Amino acid sequence: MQLPANCALGLLLLLNIVSAQELAKESEFPEPNQKKRGQAAAPDLASTGTSEWTSWFNVDHPGGDGDYESLEAIRFYYRERLCARPVAIEARTTEWVPPEETGEIVHYSPEKGFWCVNKEQPEGVTCSNYHVRFQCPLDQLHWLNWSRWSACSQTACGAMGIQIRQRTCEADNANPSSEGQTPKCEGHAIERRVCTTPSCTEAKWGKWGPWSPCTKTCGGGRRVRRRSCQKSAKKSLCIGRPIEVQKCAGSPCPACQLSCITDNVNKDCSGCTCHDHVLEGRVFSAEGMPLASAKVALKEKPLDILTTSDKRGEFRVLGICADGKTNVTVRLEKYAPTTLLAAINGSKTSTVQAVLRGVEKPYIVKHPESRVRSEGQRVAFCCDAMGTPEPFKYYWYHNDTLLDRKLYKYDKRLVLQNLQLHQAGTYHCKASSDIGVMKSAAAHLTIIGKEQSVCDSKPQEHQIKMPTECFQAATRSNYYNVGKCPNSPCVGKGGSDLQCKDSINHCCGVKRMEIQEVKCLGYTLPVKVVTECGCAKCIKPRMLVRGRVVAVDNGEPLQFGEIFIGKEQVGFTGYKGTFTIEVPPNTKRLVVKFVDRLQKFLDTIKIFPFDERGGSVYHDVKVMRKKEPIDLDAKQTNTIILGDAEGEDPIGEIVIPPNSFITINGEIYNGTVKASVTFLDPRNITTAAAASSDFNFVNNEGDVVPLRTYGMFAVDFREEASNEVLQTGQVEIHMDVEQIKMPEHIQKMKLWSLNTETGIWEEESEFQYQKTKRKKREERTFLIGNLQIRERRLFNLDVPEYRRCFVKVRAYMNEKFIPNEQMEGVVINLINLEPMAGYSSNPRAWGRFDSVITGPNGACLPAFCDEKRANAYTAYVTATLGGEEMEAAPSAPKLNPNVIGVSQPYLNKLDYRRTDHEDSSFKKTAFKINLAKPNPNNIDETNGPLYAYRNLRDCEDAPVSANHFRFYRVEADKYEYNVVPFQESDLTSWTGDYLSWWPNPQEFRACFIKVKLNGPVEYIVRSQNVGGTHPRTKGRLYGIRDIRSVRDMNVYNSSAACVEFKCSGMLFDQALVDRTVVSIMPQGSCRRTLINPFLQEYLVRHPPLIEQNDTSSFSMLAPVDPLGHNYGIYTVTDQNPRLAKEIAIGRCFDGTSDGFSREMKSDMGTALTFTCQEKPVTRQSFFQRLLTSPGETLSEIRREMRENEQLQGPSQVVPYPAGISSRLPSQSRRTASIRRRVNSLRTSSSQ
C-alpha cells in the first residue's frame, strides 16, 4: 500500500523526531561502541567483494537540536536502497568533509544511524549538514516461500493444537569465502497458528506400506514401514502405532579398503604411512629467489603443517609415501598458496619444486566497451582481470546499481536481451578475489528508439575562417559555413551482436559534399561544403605515444633503453632517447617501463595519458640517475640515510641488521656488499618529473585512490666479486616523525612498493611508533616499518589523501583565446605542492605529479585542495605540445580576469602567478595557484576553475564561458585554408576527397620550406598549393597558408619563415602520385636573391621544372622525397597532424633535421632568400623636408632612384596554373601587404 505524499512526509518527520529524541538520550550516555568526533565505525565485513556501499542519504537538515540521520527514518523513505542489516556507516558533510576534520562531536553506528547534537558542541559551534551511507553485504539475503502448514499437533478428535510453517533464508551472489556461515534474514523463520481437529468419528488402520531400504549397506542398520488411520463414522481414534522399525540382517563390513604400497594405513583409514620414505622439496619466488619459512602440508589436511622451508627454501618430510598420488600444498605470508603433485624420484623418494607468486590484488585487463544498439536488440559486455590468486567472481553494475546474478546469469560476460530504453546508461564490472577487488572503467550503452535517428542527415553549422579579402555579408565576418557531421556512434551492422567488441564500428559522418565558390575581392575561392550526413564505417586512427627519455639532472638521453608494456618488450629508445609506442587496443591505462641496459639510470615506470580517439601524443620522460654504490660490511649493522636535500634533515633511514644479506642460492653472504640506494626527495621540486607511476592505489572498494608521497627509494645490493644480486631478510625502515607535520598522516603512513606491470602501488608494511635515543643527540621519534627486499622494486613512503579537487585548463592556438581555436592533444602537467610554512603541514615540497591530455573541452587535472585555508595547498601547472612548452596567460603588470580566464574575486583568492610575475627574465611557461576548494555557498566560486572531486562531470562538461586557466601557443600571425575543411584536433572530421590536404587519416605528413627575408621588418609569406600532375586535381587548389616571419635576434635586419606546403604523394585513393605545384610569395616589396643549390639541383633532376620568371616569388613541383635541412625542406610524418607540424617547425627553426628550437636561426638550413625594401617612416612630408634640408633630400632621392634601377626586373605578375587563373587574382608583389592590395582594388573598382 502506498501512502499519499503528505502522509508519507508527515510520517517521515515523526520518525525523525522520535529517532532524534532517542538518539539525543543515547548521546548523553553513549555506548562504548559509539564513536565521537567522527571516528569511523569499523566495518564488520572485510571489503573483499562481500560488501558494497549504498548511495548517500540526507533526510534531515541541521537546525533546532542538531542533525539526525536515523537508520529508521532512512529505511522508511529509501527502503529499496538499504539492506536489512548494514555492517558499517560513513558520514561526510555536504561539503565532503569527514566528521573528524570538522571538530564537531558526533555519534554514529550502523545499527542506529548518525546524530549530532548542538548542545554537545563547543561554544559557538553548531552541527553541520551531514549525509551518510551504509555498507551492505553483497550477498543479498531474502526469504524463500513459506512451506505448507504442518499437521495439527493434536490428533484426538475435537482437540485444539498448533500448526507451524517454515521458510529458509537464502543468500544471492554467495561468496565462496562465506561457506559454512548461516545467513540471517530479518524476520522469523517459523510461524505458528492455532488449529482444531475435526469432531470424533470411527477410525481404522489401513494396510502397512513396504519396508524402506536399510540405513546401512553392511554391519547392521534399520528399516521402517508405515500405515495410516482411516476414519469411519463410529470410531474417533485408531489404536496402535503408525510406524514399525526392524533391524537389518546384513553381512559384516570388510576391513579398510585403502590400498597402500607399504600396507601401512592410518588408524582412521585416511591415508598411508611409509616410515622409510622421504618427501623433499624447494620453494622459490617467481624471480628465482629461495623462500624461507614456507609452510608445507598435504592437500587433504591443509591445517596439519608437516614442516617449513629453511633459508635455502628447502624442506624434508619423513613418512610421506612416494606413490605418485601425493598432493602437497605450500603457503607463505604475502604469497599465493600453490598445490602440486609430488614427483617420484626413486623408489622411496618424491620431490616437489614449488614456485610461489606474491599476492596481487585484481587488476582489470579487459574493460567493457561502449556500444550502440536499437531497441529490441541484444548486447554483450565483457570484463577480465588478472591477479594472484586469480579473481574468482565478477559483479556487474548498471548506473552503479548491482545487477541480480540469478536474473542475468552473468560471470565475466554480461548479456542483455531484448533491450529497452530504460537499460541505457553506464555498465561496469568489479573483479573479486580473496585479496581484494577492482572496478573496471565504465562503458556507455546507447539505445536508439524505434522511431529515433542517431544521425541527422542535415549537417550542423561549422564556420571556417576565410582569407582577409573574402568578407562574407551573410555573417558580416570572414567566416563561412561549410557544415559538419557529428561524430556520434551509429548502430552496428554485421557480425555477431554478442561479441565482446563490435567487429565494425559505424559513426555519423559525411555522406555527400558539393563544391561552392566563395566571392572574394577580385576573385572566387573554391570550398567543399557538407550537404548530407549519414552512418558509415568509423575512421579509427592508430593511437601512438611518442617522446624522448633523458636524465633529470643533465638531460643525457637514455640510449637504446628497453621498453616494456607489462612483461612484453615492445621496442628500444633511439640514440637520442626518442621512442614511439603504439597503444594496444582496449587499453584504458598505458603502463610503460623503461630499462637502462647499462644500469646508469633507474628502471622507470610511466603511466602515459593518450588520446583514445586516435593520433599521437608527445611526452618528455625524465629518469633518475642511480647513486654510486657504497661498500657495506655484511657482518655489521648498516644504516643508509634517505634524503639528501640541501639544508634539510634526512627523511629517514634504512637499518640492515648483521648477516641479513642472502645470495641467490639462499646462503648467508658475509663479504662486502656494493649498495646503491637512490632516494627521490620530494623537497627537491626538480625531481617531480622523474617520479615513477602516478601515485595511485586500489582501495577496498575497488576504486583507484591517490597517494601523497614523502619520498621513494630504489635499492640495488650486489656481491663485490661476482656482481650477483643480493636479497635481504627483514630490514627496518625508519622515518623521522619531525618530517611529518600533519598529525593525521602519522597514523596513516605506510610503506608501499610499485607493481611494475600494473603501475599500481601495493601496501608492503605499516609503521609502528617508537622513540629512540641517539649518541650526542636528543631523543628522536621514528616510525618503524619492516621490509624484506626480495626483488628489485621501487618503494614509497606514502599516505592516502582524500582532500581532492579538479582544475580546469584549456589550451589555445594563440593569445586571442578564441573558443573554436582550442588545441587538443596538449599534455597538461600539475605538480601538487605542500602547504605553506606556518600551516599545520610539511615545509614546501611536492607531493604528487599528474598529467592529462586536453580534449575538445579542455582538461580536468586532479589535485589536492583545502577548504579551510586558501594557500594550504598550491600547484605549478605547465603545458607542452610536441615537446614545446606553451605560454600561460600573463599575471603582470596586473591581474586581468579577461585574459587569465577566471573572474574576480575568486581569482584573488587563488593568487594566480605566472612564473615571470616578479622577474621578467624568467620563463613564461608555468603558473602557480592556490588550491582553494570552492565554497558551494559562494556564487563566485561555483563556476570553476576548481571543482570539488565529486563534481568531475561538471568540470568535464563546463562551457567555455565558465572559469578556466589558459595556455596558448606562441606563434606569429598564421592563417590556414583548406578547400576540403578539416579540424586537425578532431581526426574523425577527415573526409576522403581528391582535394583533401591530408590524403591519409592514418598517417599525416607535414612539409615545410624555410624562407629567409632580409629586411628591417617582419613579413607575411604565403604558400599557394595547387594540383600538379594528377588528372583529378591538376590546376585545382588544395589550400593556402600564410605565416609571418620571425626575427633572428642574432642577425641584423634578418627574419625567416617556416612555411607549410602540401606534400607530394599519393592521394586518398592511393592510386596515383600528385606532385603539388607550390608557389611561395612574400607579401611585400621583396625580390628573390638566392635558391638553395641542393634544392635547385634536386628540382632539375626531377622534372618537370617550373620556370622562375618572377623574382618576387618562387614556384616548384614539391619533392616526393623527404628532403632534409641541407635542402631547406623539413618533412615529418606522424599520426597526429598538429604534432607532425610542431616537430617539423621546431626543426625548421633550428635549421637541422633532428634538432628542436623556438629561436629562429635564419642562416641555418634555408631554402630561399628574399631581399625586401621598406620606405623609412618619418614625421615630415616630402615638401617639409625639401624646405628644411633641400640638399640632403635631393641626395636621398637620387640614391633611391639608383637602387630602383638596380632592382628593376621582369614583370611582377605571379603566374597561376591553367584552370585557376580565372578564379584567383593576379598577385602583384609591389604592394606592401594584402590590405594595401585590397585598398587599391577598391579604388579601381570605384572608378
Side-chain angles (χ1 to χ4, degrees), residues 739-755:
Q739 301 297 326
I740 312 171
K741 296 183 179 179
M742 297 184 74
E744 64 270 26
H745 282 187
I746 296 176
Q747 303 299 326
K748 298 176 182 178
M749 186 67 63
K750 293 181 180 180
L751 181 64
W752 307 76
S753 67
L754 181 62
N755 187 316

Side-chain angles (χ1 to χ4, degrees), residues 280-344:
E280 297 177 342
R282 301 190 69 183
V283 186
F284 296 91
S285 68
E287 293 75 27
M289 291 295 202
L291 298 177
S293 304
K295 299 177 180 179
V296 181
L298 296 178
K299 178 183 177 181
E300 297 78 13
K301 299 180 179 180
L303 300 180
D304 186 7
I305 306 301
L306 302 176
T307 187
T308 58
S309 59
D310 59 19
K311 291 184 177 180
R312 295 185 178 182
E314 299 176 352
F315 64 86
R316 179 183 174 89
V317 183
L318 298 175
I320 303 299
C321 297
D323 55 2
K325 302 177 181 179
T326 304
N327 288 298
V328 180
T329 298
V330 182
R331 287 184 173 85
L332 182 61
E333 186 180 2
K334 295 187 178 181
Y335 289 86
T338 184
T339 300
L340 306 105
L341 181 65
I344 300 176

Side-chain angles (χ1 to χ4, degrees), residues 1020-1035:
I1020 294 290
V1021 182
R1022 167 171 290 187
S1023 80
Q1024 180 178 285
N1025 302 268
V1026 179
T1029 58
H1030 197 287
R1032 298 292 295 267
T1033 62
K1034 188 174 183 179

Side-chain angles (χ1 to χ4, degrees), residues 615-633:
S616 62
V617 177
Y618 188 93
H619 291 277
D620 277 321
V621 179
K622 309 294 185 183
V623 293
M624 286 285 290
R625 191 180 302 276
K626 291 180 67 174
K627 283 285 187 181
E628 288 296 325
I630 60 175
D631 292 340
L632 303 180
D633 186 350

